[in-house]
Amino acid sequence: GRRVAEVSGGEAMLIAITGLSIRRTAITLLDEPTNNLDRPTRAKLADFVDQWPGTLVVVSHDLELLEHMENTTELYGGTLDTFGGPYSAWKEHQEQEQAAAVQAARSAQQALKVEKRQRVEAETKLARRERTAKKTQRDGGIPKILAGNRASKAQASAGSLRSTLDNKVQAAQVAVDAADARVRGEEHITLVLPDPDVPRGRRLAELHDQDRTFVIQGPERVALVGANGTGKSTLIEQFIRGTAPAPDRPHGRLLTELVGYLPQRLDGLDDDASAMANVQSVAPGTPAGTIRNQLARLLLRGDSADRPVRTLSGGERFRVSLARLLLSEPPAQLLVLDEPTNNLDIASVEQLAEALDAYRGALLVVSHDFALLERIGVDTVIELGRDGRMHQRRDLNI
């Protein structure tokens, strides 16, 4: 009976998917359907997918869900390419194609070098012949008429040879360009998080329920997990904002002011302002060139950095929010991330994991993406139950 605005992100997704399954349309589109879903619900959604009536088109970075697809279609460089099979099979096929493309590009480049070298060698020989002919003519070794005829023939022959060799070089260059076009340039988000130099014994935050207190200290990595609707995001919002907790509900307290926060719903951005302006608002002393370079490292270049944030994709908005954290001074001792992989593509998730793995401050991550949590080396797993109590787990197998 609650309003949709009052339910959790995962519950809202379940409501939407349930409505779509009841409609039973011929074609159904699901855009990132596992965002915010807990592990059991993700498994149920996978069963839904396997039995879905009609055609189902899924946009997702959830590798487990993608294994339930019959075909994989990639949008790259403005072109759609469809492969018969799930993501893992497509990925293997793509890696093989790229390996072959790289080898073909190397071979084409080598062939071009050979043609250019032969062109230079031929020009050297022609110049040597021309010098010999001029010397013979100058020394009077042969009649002038015969020397002239020979010179004319030599020039014609040299011109023909040059034309042939130039054509071969041009053809080799075309082959190189075609081979290079098949090799994909890897666009990498380069995330280098600042070193906050957090002492191991420094207490940064506390999480409380009716029975227990959990302390986050030093460069500790804590995962907060639990079923949809248990109040994980509400707990995070409460202690980040410093508002009074609800009765008999878990609550938290920050012990440091140096906190970076990425909410599940990126509502801290000014949608009408550009990415540049959004970052400048939290880093007024940072030169514009530094901000622009940082955004470029996050693949927000040129027009993307100057467009209103409301025109950016979910992944681009996330990068703007991340840039606001990266340029904070002094750097955050504690990063609090609520479902950080929502709306990120597969490559960006991996690059985010690399950055967080190298971060030397404390992390509190709310996520159902257990692959990410394992990748960043979580030290402590806290499960929030529906009864409002928190339980420490040894690992992510819950």
Side-chain angles (χ1 to χ4, degrees):
R2 288 180 296 165
R3 294 184 303 160
V4 173
E6 297 172 348
V7 304
S8 71
E11 289 172 324
M13 184 67 75
L14 281 177
I15 293 169
I17 293 173
T18 300
L20 287 172
S21 66
I22 292 173
R23 288 182 64 189
R24 300 177 68 88
T25 53
I27 300 175
T28 304
L29 310 179
L30 302 182
D31 191 357
E32 298 289 359
T34 59
N35 278 3
N36 311 313
L37 296 188
D38 56 36
R39 298 295 294 179
T41 309
R42 287 186 179 207
K44 292 179 182 178
L45 175 61
D47 292 337
F48 252 126
V49 166
D50 291 338
Q51 303 169 19
W52 199 277
T55 298
L56 188 63
V57 180
V58 177
V59 179
S60 180
H61 67 268
D62 186 330
L63 301 186
E64 294 180 22
L65 179 63
L66 293 180
E67 287 305 298
H68 292 264
M69 301 295 109
E70 295 174 347
N71 299 285
T72 301
T73 297
E74 182 196 26
L75 175 60
Y76 180 83
T79 301
L80 286 171
D81 181 46
T82 299
F83 176 83
Y87 177 82
S88 59
W90 170 83
K91 185 67 174 175
E92 182 179 356
H93 171 74
Q94 186 210 42
E95 289 174 352
Q96 291 174 350
E97 274 205 336
Q98 279 302 291
V102 169
Q103 184 57 47
R106 289 173 180 167
S107 299
Q109 192 64 247
Q110 188 60 36
L112 176 60
K113 289 180 180 178
V114 170
E115 294 297 342
K116 286 184 174 180
R117 185 172 65 249
Q118 290 180 347
R119 177 69 175 82
V120 171
E121 290 173 353
E123 196 65 43
T124 301
K125 290 179 181 179
L126 290 173
R128 188 180 302 123
R129 288 177 186 174
E130 186 174 351
R131 287 196 301 272
T132 301
K134 286 181 178 180
K135 183 176 183 301
T136 302
Q137 185 177 6
R138 185 177 62 251
D139 295 343
I142 59 174
K144 289 185 177 181
I145 295 178
L146 180 58
N149 289 337
R150 286 184 178 182
S152 298
K153 290 180 180 180
Q155 289 176 358
S157 176
S160 177
L161 179 59
R162 287 190 178 100
S163 178
T164 299
L165 294 174
D166 286 343
N167 289 339
K168 287 184 176 181
V169 170
Q170 185 178 4
Q173 183 63 62
V174 170
V176 166
D177 294 341
D180 286 345
R182 292 177 54 204
V183 179
R184 298 188 177 188
E186 292 297 329
E187 286 267 69
H188 230 67
I189 291 179
T190 308
L191 301 176
V192 181
L193 301 184
D195 183 1
D197 193 23
V198 181
R200 288 200 167 274
R202 175 66 190 275
R203 296 162 67 95
L204 301 174
E206 295 176 347
L207 299 177
H208 305 273
D209 65 11
Q210 301 172 38
D211 305 315
R212 301 186 61 178
T213 295
F214 294 91
V215 178
I216 301 175
Q217 65 182 40
E220 188 176 11
R221 292 149 189 271
V222 179
L224 181 61
V225 301
N228 293 134
T230 54
K232 301 184 296 298
S233 294
T234 302
L235 169 60
I236 296 296
E237 286 281 343
Q238 178 273 315
F239 85 82
I240 289 291
R241 308 299 183 196
T243 57
D248 300 325
R249 295 302 301 171
H251 60 281
R253 183 166 69 101
L254 290 175
L255 305 177
T256 176
E257 295 181 354
L258 302 178
V259 179
Y261 175 47
L262 276 180
Q264 185 179 130
R265 293 165 180 162
L266 302 177
D267 52 7
L269 300 175
D270 182 349
D271 281 350
D272 293 325
S274 67
M276 278 287 298
N278 269 276
V279 177
Q280 285 175 317
S281 68
V282 297
T286 304
T290 301
I291 295 176
R292 192 169 291 277
N293 289 339
Q294 188 74 353
L295 290 173
R297 295 171 69 184
L298 292 165
L299 307 186
L300 292 167
R301 305 186 182 104
D303 179 59
S304 295
D306 297 318
R307 283 163 43 201
V309 166
R310 57 182 163 74
T311 66
L312 302 180
S313 70
E316 289 171 328
R317 288 171 60 87
F318 173 84
R319 295 173 204 166
V320 176
S321 297
L322 195 57
R324 287 160 61 97
L325 290 188
L326 295 177
L327 289 177
S328 64
E329 189 62 41
Q333 294 181 330
L334 170 65
L335 287 183
V336 181
L337 311 177
D338 192 355
E339 296 290 357
T341 59
N342 283 1
N343 301 314
L344 292 187
D345 59 41
I346 294 169
S348 297
V349 170
E350 177 61 25
Q351 291 152 17
L352 173 64
E354 290 176 4
L356 295 180
D357 186 45
Y359 179 57
R360 299 180 63 181
L363 292 173
L364 175 58
V365 183
V366 179
S367 181
H368 298 297
D369 188 339
F370 285 12
L372 172 73
L373 297 178
E374 290 176 348
R375 177 71 173 76
I376 64 177
V378 166
D379 302 307
T380 303
V381 180
I382 300 175
E383 181 185 13
L384 180 57
R386 295 189 182 279
D387 59 359
R389 286 178 167 79
M390 294 181 288
H391 309 276
Q392 186 169 347
R393 301 291 182 179
R394 292 183 178 180
D395 52 42
L396 292 167
N397 294 320
I398 58 176

